[in-house]
Amino acid sequence: MPEAPQESELVTDEHWMDQAIELAWRGQGYVEPNPMVGCVIVRDGRLIGQGYHQVFGEAHAEVNALADCQRAGEDAAGATAYVTLEPCCHHGKTPPCADALVAAQVKRVVVAVVDPFDAVDGGGVSRLRDAGIDVVTGIGTVKATQLLAPYLKRVRTGKPWVIAKWAMSMDGRIATSTGESQWITGPESRKEVHRLRGRVDAIATGMGTVQVDDPSLTAREGGPRQPTRVVFLRSRCPGIDSQLVRTASQVPTWLAVGPAISDCDLALLADHDVEFMRCRSAGQTEMVDEVLARLGAGDNPSGQIITNLMLECGGGLLGSFAAAGQIDEAHVYIGSKLIGGLAAPGPVGDPGVALLADALGFEITDVSQFGADVRLIYRRLDS
C-alpha cells in the first residue's frame, strides 16, 4: 500500500481537488444519467491539463484532461491526476479511463470518491495500482459527495434524486383560502424555476395541480434538456384539452396510473401520444416507491434512466413523497406577501408526522434573492 500523504501534500491535494470539483459542476444537466466528473492534471505545482465530462455518451473527464495536455504541448507522463470519481475500468459508451491514465504514464492519481457502480467499485483503483501508479483516495470527499449525490443515490438505491420545489408566502401558504396561487412569487423567481426545469430529467405532478393550474411544466428559459412530465393518477385522468395532453407529442408525458383507473379511461389519451406506467398499488407511499424505482431503473415508456426528478405539485403529492422519505432536496421560494387564514393551505399535506422526532431533517445549502423573493435550498441531512 502507498504511504499516506503528508500534511502539506494533503493541503495541496485538496486545493487541486477543489478545482476538479468546480469543473465537474459544468456538466450538470448535460451528462445524466452519468455522474458529473472533473479532472485536473498537475506537474510540479503547475496545472498542465483539465477537463470534465461534458455530454452523455461522449469522452469522460480524464480523457478530456489528457487531450487538454496535448493541445497545450504538455506531457502527462510523471504528473498527478486529480479526479472527483474513481476512473472507470469497463467498456461502456467510451473506453476505460483507467487505461487512458495508464497509457499516459501518470505517476499519481488522487480520487475523491470510489465509484459504487458494480462495473467499477474499486476496479479502477486496482487497475491503476497494478500498473504501478500511486493512488490516493478520500481527498475532497465531502464536497465531491455533494456533487455526486444524485448519481450515488441512484446507484445505491435504484431511485432518482428528488428535488421538491414550492413557492409560498411569508406565512407559509401556497394559496389563499379560495385556492388562488398565481402569483405568490415574482418573475425573477419563476425564471429561476425554469432554469431548474431545464437541467432535470423529469418533473412530477399530481392531478390536483393539473386540474387547478393546467400547467405545461416545460423549461422556457433554455437549458440542457426539456424534462419528461410524469403525472401521478390515482382516481382521475387529465382531459384531452389540458396543456400536458395537448403537448404530449412535443414533450414526453407519462401517466403513473393507479389500479383504480381503467384501460378505457386511458385509451383516448393514448391517441394523443400520452404514455403510461401502470402501478400495482394506489397506496400513497407504495405508489411513490414503485414509480421512483421504475424511473431509476429505466423501466418506463422510453427506457430512460432518470437521475434527477423535480416535484412541482400540490400538498397532496408532496405529502406522499415526504411520507415515503423520498425528498432529497427542496427549493423553497418565499414571496413577500402575507396571506393568512386558517383554511389557506401549506406546501406539504397529509399524512404528515405526529412527532417532531419523526420529521425529515434538512440543512440549508444556499440562500439567494430573486427580486423581492428569497430562495432557500435544503438538502436532507442523511443524503
Short mmCIF file of all heavy atoms in Angstrom, two decimals, residues 207-258:
data_model
loop_
_atom_site.label_atom_id
_atom_site.label_comp_id
_atom_site.label_asym_id
_atom_site.label_seq_id
_atom_site.Cartn_x
_atom_site.Cartn_y
_atom_site.Cartn_z
N MET A 207 -52.74 15.13 -10.13
CA MET A 207 -53.94 15.54 -10.86
C MET A 207 -54.56 16.81 -10.28
O MET A 207 -55.18 17.60 -11.00
CB MET A 207 -54.97 14.42 -10.85
CG MET A 207 -54.98 13.59 -12.12
SD MET A 207 -55.17 14.59 -13.62
CE MET A 207 -56.80 15.28 -13.36
N GLY A 208 -54.39 17.04 -8.99
CA GLY A 208 -54.91 18.26 -8.41
C GLY A 208 -54.30 19.49 -9.05
O GLY A 208 -55.00 20.45 -9.40
N THR A 209 -52.99 19.47 -9.24
CA THR A 209 -52.29 20.58 -9.88
C THR A 209 -52.71 20.72 -11.34
O THR A 209 -52.89 21.83 -11.84
CB THR A 209 -50.77 20.38 -9.78
OG1 THR A 209 -50.40 20.33 -8.39
CG2 THR A 209 -50.01 21.51 -10.46
N VAL A 210 -52.87 19.59 -12.03
CA VAL A 210 -53.29 19.64 -13.43
C VAL A 210 -54.67 20.30 -13.55
O VAL A 210 -54.90 21.14 -14.43
CB VAL A 210 -53.32 18.22 -14.04
CG1 VAL A 210 -53.91 18.24 -15.44
CG2 VAL A 210 -51.91 17.63 -14.07
N GLN A 211 -55.58 19.95 -12.66
CA GLN A 211 -56.94 20.50 -12.74
C GLN A 211 -56.99 21.98 -12.37
O GLN A 211 -57.71 22.76 -13.00
CB GLN A 211 -57.87 19.70 -11.83
CG GLN A 211 -58.22 18.32 -12.39
CD GLN A 211 -59.36 17.68 -11.63
OE1 GLN A 211 -59.41 17.73 -10.41
NE2 GLN A 211 -60.28 17.06 -12.37
N VAL A 212 -56.23 22.37 -11.34
CA VAL A 212 -56.31 23.74 -10.86
C VAL A 212 -55.50 24.70 -11.71
O VAL A 212 -55.96 25.79 -12.09
CB VAL A 212 -55.86 23.82 -9.38
CG1 VAL A 212 -55.76 25.27 -8.92
CG2 VAL A 212 -56.82 23.04 -8.49
N ASP A 213 -54.24 24.30 -12.06
CA ASP A 213 -53.32 25.22 -12.73
C ASP A 213 -53.16 24.97 -14.23
O ASP A 213 -52.67 25.84 -14.94
CB ASP A 213 -51.93 25.14 -12.07
CG ASP A 213 -51.94 25.62 -10.64
OD1 ASP A 213 -52.84 26.41 -10.29
OD2 ASP A 213 -51.05 25.21 -9.86
N ASP A 214 -53.52 23.77 -14.71
CA ASP A 214 -53.32 23.40 -16.11
C ASP A 214 -51.91 23.76 -16.58
O ASP A 214 -51.72 24.48 -17.55
CB ASP A 214 -54.36 24.07 -17.01
CG ASP A 214 -54.36 23.52 -18.43
OD1 ASP A 214 -53.92 22.36 -18.61
OD2 ASP A 214 -54.77 24.25 -19.35
N PRO A 215 -50.87 23.25 -15.90
CA PRO A 215 -49.50 23.64 -16.23
C PRO A 215 -48.98 22.95 -17.49
O PRO A 215 -49.48 21.89 -17.89
CB PRO A 215 -48.71 23.16 -15.01
CG PRO A 215 -49.45 21.93 -14.59
CD PRO A 215 -50.92 22.22 -14.85
N SER A 216 -47.95 23.54 -18.09
CA SER A 216 -47.26 22.88 -19.20
C SER A 216 -46.01 22.16 -18.71
O SER A 216 -45.56 21.20 -19.32
CB SER A 216 -46.88 23.89 -20.28
OG SER A 216 -45.98 24.85 -19.77
N LEU A 217 -45.41 22.64 -17.60
CA LEU A 217 -44.22 22.03 -17.00
C LEU A 217 -43.08 21.87 -17.99
O LEU A 217 -42.39 20.84 -18.01
CB LEU A 217 -44.58 20.68 -16.35
CG LEU A 217 -45.62 20.73 -15.23
CD1 LEU A 217 -45.88 19.34 -14.69
CD2 LEU A 217 -45.20 21.67 -14.12
N THR A 218 -42.87 22.87 -18.81
CA THR A 218 -41.75 22.89 -19.74
C THR A 218 -40.72 23.91 -19.28
O THR A 218 -41.01 24.80 -18.49
CB THR A 218 -42.22 23.25 -21.16
OG1 THR A 218 -42.93 24.49 -21.12
CG2 THR A 218 -43.11 22.16 -21.73
N ALA A 219 -39.49 23.75 -19.77
CA ALA A 219 -38.41 24.70 -19.47
C ALA A 219 -38.40 25.76 -20.56
O ALA A 219 -38.08 25.46 -21.71
CB ALA A 219 -37.07 23.97 -19.41
N ARG A 220 -38.72 26.98 -20.19
CA ARG A 220 -38.86 28.04 -21.18
C ARG A 220 -37.79 29.12 -21.04
O ARG A 220 -37.91 30.20 -21.61
CB ARG A 220 -40.26 28.66 -21.09
CG ARG A 220 -41.37 27.64 -21.38
CD ARG A 220 -42.73 28.28 -21.50
NE ARG A 220 -43.25 28.79 -20.24
CZ ARG A 220 -43.87 28.03 -19.33
NH1 ARG A 220 -44.02 26.72 -19.54
NH2 ARG A 220 -44.34 28.56 -18.23
N GLU A 221 -36.72 28.81 -20.29
CA GLU A 221 -35.60 29.74 -20.16
C GLU A 221 -34.31 29.09 -20.64
O GLU A 221 -33.24 29.40 -20.16
CB GLU A 221 -35.46 30.20 -18.70
CG GLU A 221 -36.55 31.14 -18.24
CD GLU A 221 -36.50 32.48 -18.95
OE1 GLU A 221 -35.40 32.96 -19.24
OE2 GLU A 221 -37.58 33.06 -19.19
N GLY A 222 -34.42 28.18 -21.58
CA GLY A 222 -33.22 27.50 -22.06
C GLY A 222 -32.77 26.43 -21.09
O GLY A 222 -33.42 26.14 -20.09
N GLY A 223 -31.65 25.83 -21.35
CA GLY A 223 -31.12 24.77 -20.51
C GLY A 223 -30.77 23.55 -21.33
O GLY A 223 -31.15 23.44 -22.50
N PRO A 224 -30.06 22.61 -20.72
CA PRO A 224 -29.59 21.44 -21.45
C PRO A 224 -30.69 20.52 -21.96
O PRO A 224 -30.51 19.83 -22.95
CB PRO A 224 -28.73 20.70 -20.42
CG PRO A 224 -28.39 21.73 -19.39
CD PRO A 224 -29.53 22.67 -19.36
N ARG A 225 -31.85 20.50 -21.31
CA ARG A 225 -32.84 19.49 -21.68
C ARG A 225 -34.26 19.99 -21.42
O ARG A 225 -34.47 20.95 -20.68
CB ARG A 225 -32.58 18.19 -20.93
CG ARG A 225 -32.47 18.33 -19.43
CD ARG A 225 -32.08 17.01 -18.78
NE ARG A 225 -30.74 16.60 -19.15
CZ ARG A 225 -30.22 15.41 -18.91
NH1 ARG A 225 -30.93 14.48 -18.30
NH2 ARG A 225 -29.00 15.09 -19.28
N GLN A 226 -35.20 19.31 -22.05
CA GLN A 226 -36.61 19.54 -21.81
C GLN A 226 -37.10 18.34 -21.00
O GLN A 226 -37.06 17.21 -21.49
CB GLN A 226 -37.38 19.66 -23.12
CG GLN A 226 -38.80 20.17 -23.01
CD GLN A 226 -38.88 21.60 -22.50
OE1 GLN A 226 -39.22 21.81 -21.35
NE2 GLN A 226 -38.57 22.57 -23.37
N PRO A 227 -37.54 18.53 -19.76
CA PRO A 227 -37.84 17.38 -18.92
C PRO A 227 -39.09 16.63 -19.35
O PRO A 227 -40.05 17.21 -19.86
CB PRO A 227 -38.05 18.02 -17.54
CG PRO A 227 -38.51 19.42 -17.84
CD PRO A 227 -37.76 19.82 -19.08
N THR A 228 -39.05 15.33 -19.12
CA THR A 228 -40.24 14.50 -19.26
C THR A 228 -41.23 14.87 -18.16
O THR A 228 -40.83 15.14 -17.03
CB THR A 228 -39.85 13.02 -19.15
OG1 THR A 228 -39.02 12.67 -20.26
CG2 THR A 228 -41.07 12.11 -19.11
N ARG A 229 -42.54 14.90 -18.48
CA ARG A 229 -43.56 15.17 -17.47
C ARG A 229 -44.14 13.84 -16.98
O ARG A 229 -44.50 12.98 -17.78
CB ARG A 229 -44.71 16.02 -18.04
CG ARG A 229 -44.35 17.48 -18.33
CD ARG A 229 -43.82 17.70 -19.74
NE ARG A 229 -44.77 17.28 -20.77
CZ ARG A 229 -45.63 18.10 -21.38
NH1 ARG A 229 -45.63 19.39 -21.08
NH2 ARG A 229 -46.46 17.66 -22.31
N VAL A 230 -44.22 13.67 -15.66
CA VAL A 230 -44.77 12.47 -15.04
C VAL A 230 -45.94 12.90 -14.16
O VAL A 230 -45.77 13.70 -13.24
CB VAL A 230 -43.72 11.73 -14.19
CG1 VAL A 230 -44.32 10.47 -13.57
CG2 VAL A 230 -42.49 11.39 -15.01
N VAL A 231 -47.13 12.37 -14.44
CA VAL A 231 -48.33 12.75 -13.69
C VAL A 231 -48.82 11.55 -12.90
O VAL A 231 -49.08 10.48 -13.46
CB VAL A 231 -49.44 13.26 -14.62
CG1 VAL A 231 -50.62 13.79 -13.80
CG2 VAL A 231 -48.92 14.35 -15.57
N PHE A 232 -48.95 11.73 -11.58
CA PHE A 232 -49.48 10.66 -10.72
C PHE A 232 -51.00 10.70 -10.74
O PHE A 232 -51.62 11.73 -10.43
CB PHE A 232 -48.99 10.86 -9.29
CG PHE A 232 -47.57 10.38 -9.05
CD1 PHE A 232 -46.49 11.09 -9.56
CD2 PHE A 232 -47.32 9.23 -8.33
CE1 PHE A 232 -45.18 10.67 -9.34
CE2 PHE A 232 -46.02 8.79 -8.10
CZ PHE A 232 -44.95 9.51 -8.62
N LEU A 233 -51.61 9.57 -11.10
CA LEU A 233 -53.07 9.45 -11.19
C LEU A 233 -53.54 8.31 -10.30
O LEU A 233 -53.14 7.17 -10.49
CB LEU A 233 -53.52 9.17 -12.62
CG LEU A 233 -53.00 10.06 -13.75
CD1 LEU A 233 -53.57 9.58 -15.07
CD2 LEU A 233 -53.36 11.50 -13.50
N ARG A 234 -54.43 8.62 -9.37
CA ARG A 234 -54.98 7.56 -8.51
C ARG A 234 -56.45 7.29 -8.83
O ARG A 234 -56.92 6.15 -8.72
CB ARG A 234 -54.81 7.94 -7.05
CG ARG A 234 -53.35 8.08 -6.61
CD ARG A 234 -53.25 8.56 -5.18
NE ARG A 234 -53.74 7.56 -4.25
CZ ARG A 234 -54.04 7.83 -2.98
NH1 ARG A 234 -53.93 9.06 -2.52
NH2 ARG A 234 -54.47 6.88 -2.18
N SER A 235 -57.18 8.34 -9.21
CA SER A 235 -58.61 8.13 -9.47
C SER A 235 -59.14 8.94 -10.65
O SER A 235 -60.24 8.66 -11.14
CB SER A 235 -59.42 8.50 -8.22
OG SER A 235 -59.20 9.86 -7.86
N ARG A 236 -58.39 9.91 -11.14
CA ARG A 236 -58.87 10.78 -12.22
C ARG A 236 -57.81 10.90 -13.31
O ARG A 236 -56.61 10.79 -13.04
CB ARG A 236 -59.17 12.18 -11.68
CG ARG A 236 -60.27 12.25 -10.64
CD ARG A 236 -60.29 13.62 -9.99
NE ARG A 236 -59.11 13.85 -9.18
CZ ARG A 236 -58.77 15.03 -8.66
NH1 ARG A 236 -59.53 16.09 -8.90
NH2 ARG A 236 -57.70 15.15 -7.92
N CYS A 237 -58.23 11.16 -14.54
CA CYS A 237 -57.33 11.36 -15.68
C CYS A 237 -57.41 12.81 -16.15
O CYS A 237 -58.45 13.45 -16.03
CB CYS A 237 -57.72 10.45 -16.84
SG CYS A 237 -57.44 8.71 -16.53
N PRO A 238 -56.32 13.32 -16.73
CA PRO A 238 -56.39 14.66 -17.30
C PRO A 238 -57.26 14.68 -18.55
O PRO A 238 -57.37 13.67 -19.26
CB PRO A 238 -54.93 14.98 -17.63
CG PRO A 238 -54.27 13.66 -17.80
CD PRO A 238 -54.98 12.73 -16.86
N GLY A 239 -57.87 15.83 -18.83
CA GLY A 239 -58.68 15.96 -20.03
C GLY A 239 -57.81 16.12 -21.26
O GLY A 239 -56.64 16.54 -21.18
N ILE A 240 -58.37 15.80 -22.43
CA ILE A 240 -57.60 15.91 -23.66
C ILE A 240 -57.31 17.37 -24.02
O ILE A 240 -56.45 17.65 -24.86
CB ILE A 240 -58.30 15.21 -24.84
CG1 ILE A 240 -59.68 15.83 -25.08
CG2 ILE A 240 -58.39 13.71 -24.59
CD1 ILE A 240 -60.35 15.32 -26.33
N ASP A 241 -58.01 18.30 -23.38
CA ASP A 241 -57.76 19.71 -23.64
C ASP A 241 -56.73 20.31 -22.68
O ASP A 241 -56.41 21.49 -22.77
CB ASP A 241 -59.06 20.51 -23.55
CG ASP A 241 -59.74 20.37 -22.20
OD1 ASP A 241 -59.39 19.42 -21.46
OD2 ASP A 241 -60.62 21.20 -21.89
N SER A 242 -56.19 19.51 -21.77
CA SER A 242 -55.18 20.02 -20.85
C SER A 242 -53.88 20.27 -21.61
O SER A 242 -53.58 19.63 -22.62
CB SER A 242 -54.93 19.03 -19.71
OG SER A 242 -54.38 17.82 -20.20
N GLN A 243 -53.07 21.20 -21.09
CA GLN A 243 -51.81 21.53 -21.76
C GLN A 243 -50.88 20.32 -21.84
O GLN A 243 -50.19 20.13 -22.85
CB GLN A 243 -51.11 22.68 -21.04
CG GLN A 243 -51.78 24.03 -21.18
CD GLN A 243 -50.81 25.16 -20.91
OE1 GLN A 243 -49.91 25.45 -21.70
NE2 GLN A 243 -51.00 25.81 -19.77
N LEU A 244 -50.86 19.51 -20.80
CA LEU A 244 -49.97 18.35 -20.81
C LEU A 244 -50.33 17.39 -21.94
O LEU A 244 -49.45 16.85 -22.63
CB LEU A 244 -50.03 17.63 -19.47
CG LEU A 244 -49.45 18.38 -18.27
CD1 LEU A 244 -49.68 17.59 -16.99
CD2 LEU A 244 -47.97 18.65 -18.46
N VAL A 245 -51.61 17.14 -22.12
CA VAL A 245 -52.04 16.21 -23.17
C VAL A 245 -51.86 16.84 -24.55
O VAL A 245 -51.38 16.19 -25.49
CB VAL A 245 -53.50 15.78 -22.95
CG1 VAL A 245 -53.99 14.92 -24.12
CG2 VAL A 245 -53.63 15.00 -21.63
N ARG A 246 -52.20 18.12 -24.68
CA ARG A 246 -52.09 18.78 -25.99
C ARG A 246 -50.65 18.89 -26.48
O ARG A 246 -50.41 18.97 -27.69
CB ARG A 246 -52.72 20.17 -25.93
CG ARG A 246 -54.26 20.13 -25.87
CD ARG A 246 -54.89 21.50 -26.08
NE ARG A 246 -54.68 22.38 -24.94
CZ ARG A 246 -53.88 23.43 -24.90
NH1 ARG A 246 -53.15 23.73 -25.97
NH2 ARG A 246 -53.78 24.19 -23.83
N THR A 247 -49.69 18.86 -25.57
CA THR A 247 -48.27 18.99 -25.97
C THR A 247 -47.50 17.69 -25.84
O THR A 247 -46.28 17.67 -25.96
CB THR A 247 -47.58 20.07 -25.12
OG1 THR A 247 -47.67 19.71 -23.72
CG2 THR A 247 -48.22 21.44 -25.32
N ALA A 248 -48.20 16.58 -25.60
CA ALA A 248 -47.51 15.30 -25.39
C ALA A 248 -46.73 14.82 -26.60
O ALA A 248 -45.79 14.04 -26.47
CB ALA A 248 -48.51 14.24 -24.95
N SER A 249 -47.12 15.26 -27.79
CA SER A 249 -46.38 14.86 -28.99
C SER A 249 -45.06 15.61 -29.10
O SER A 249 -44.14 15.15 -29.79
CB SER A 249 -47.22 15.11 -30.25
OG SER A 249 -47.57 16.47 -30.36
N GLN A 250 -44.93 16.75 -28.41
CA GLN A 250 -43.68 17.51 -28.43
C GLN A 250 -42.80 17.22 -27.22
O GLN A 250 -41.56 17.22 -27.32
CB GLN A 250 -43.96 19.03 -28.47
CG GLN A 250 -44.52 19.55 -29.78
CD GLN A 250 -46.02 19.34 -29.88
OE1 GLN A 250 -46.75 19.61 -28.93
NE2 GLN A 250 -46.49 18.84 -31.02
N VAL A 251 -43.40 17.00 -26.06
CA VAL A 251 -42.65 16.76 -24.82
C VAL A 251 -43.19 15.47 -24.20
O VAL A 251 -44.39 15.36 -23.97
CB VAL A 251 -42.82 17.93 -23.83
CG1 VAL A 251 -42.02 17.66 -22.56
CG2 VAL A 251 -42.40 19.25 -24.46
N PRO A 252 -42.33 14.49 -23.93
CA PRO A 252 -42.81 13.22 -23.38
C PRO A 252 -43.65 13.42 -22.13
O PRO A 252 -43.28 14.17 -21.22
CB PRO A 252 -41.52 12.45 -23.06
CG PRO A 252 -40.51 13.02 -24.01
CD PRO A 252 -40.88 14.48 -24.17
N THR A 253 -44.80 12.74 -22.09
CA THR A 253 -45.73 12.84 -20.97
C THR A 253 -46.14 11.44 -20.55
O THR A 253 -46.72 10.70 -21.34
CB THR A 253 -46.97 13.67 -21.37
OG1 THR A 253 -46.56 14.95 -21.85
CG2 THR A 253 -47.91 13.84 -20.19
N TRP A 254 -45.79 11.08 -19.31
CA TRP A 254 -46.08 9.75 -18.80
C TRP A 254 -47.08 9.87 -17.66
O TRP A 254 -46.95 10.73 -16.78
CB TRP A 254 -44.82 9.07 -18.26
CG TRP A 254 -43.69 8.97 -19.24
CD1 TRP A 254 -43.74 9.09 -20.60
CD2 TRP A 254 -42.31 8.73 -18.92
NE1 TRP A 254 -42.50 8.93 -21.15
CE2 TRP A 254 -41.59 8.70 -20.14
CE3 TRP A 254 -41.61 8.53 -17.74
CZ2 TRP A 254 -40.22 8.50 -20.21
CZ3 TRP A 254 -40.24 8.32 -17.79
CH2 TRP A 254 -39.56 8.30 -19.01
N LEU A 255 -48.05 9.00 -17.64
CA LEU A 255 -49.00 8.93 -16.55
C LEU A 255 -48.67 7.73 -15.67
O LEU A 255 -48.60 6.60 -16.16
CB LEU A 255 -50.43 8.81 -17.07
CG LEU A 255 -50.90 9.91 -18.05
CD1 LEU A 255 -52.37 9.69 -18.39
CD2 LEU A 255 -50.66 11.31 -17.49
N ALA A 256 -48.41 7.99 -14.39
CA ALA A 256 -48.23 6.92 -13.41
C ALA A 256 -49.61 6.59 -12.87
O ALA A 256 -50.20 7.37 -12.11
CB ALA A 256 -47.29 7.36 -12.30
N VAL A 257 -50.15 5.46 -13.28
CA VAL A 257 -51.57 5.17 -13.15
C VAL A 257 -51.83 4.15 -12.05
O VAL A 257 -51.25 3.06 -12.05
CB VAL A 257 -52.12 4.64 -14.49
CG1 VAL A 257 -53.60 4.35 -14.38
CG2 VAL A 257 -51.87 5.65 -15.60
N GLY A 258 -52.71 4.49 -11.10
CA GLY A 258 -53.12 3.56 -10.07
C GLY A 258 -54.09 2.51 -10.61
O GLY A 258 -54.69 2.69 -11.68
#
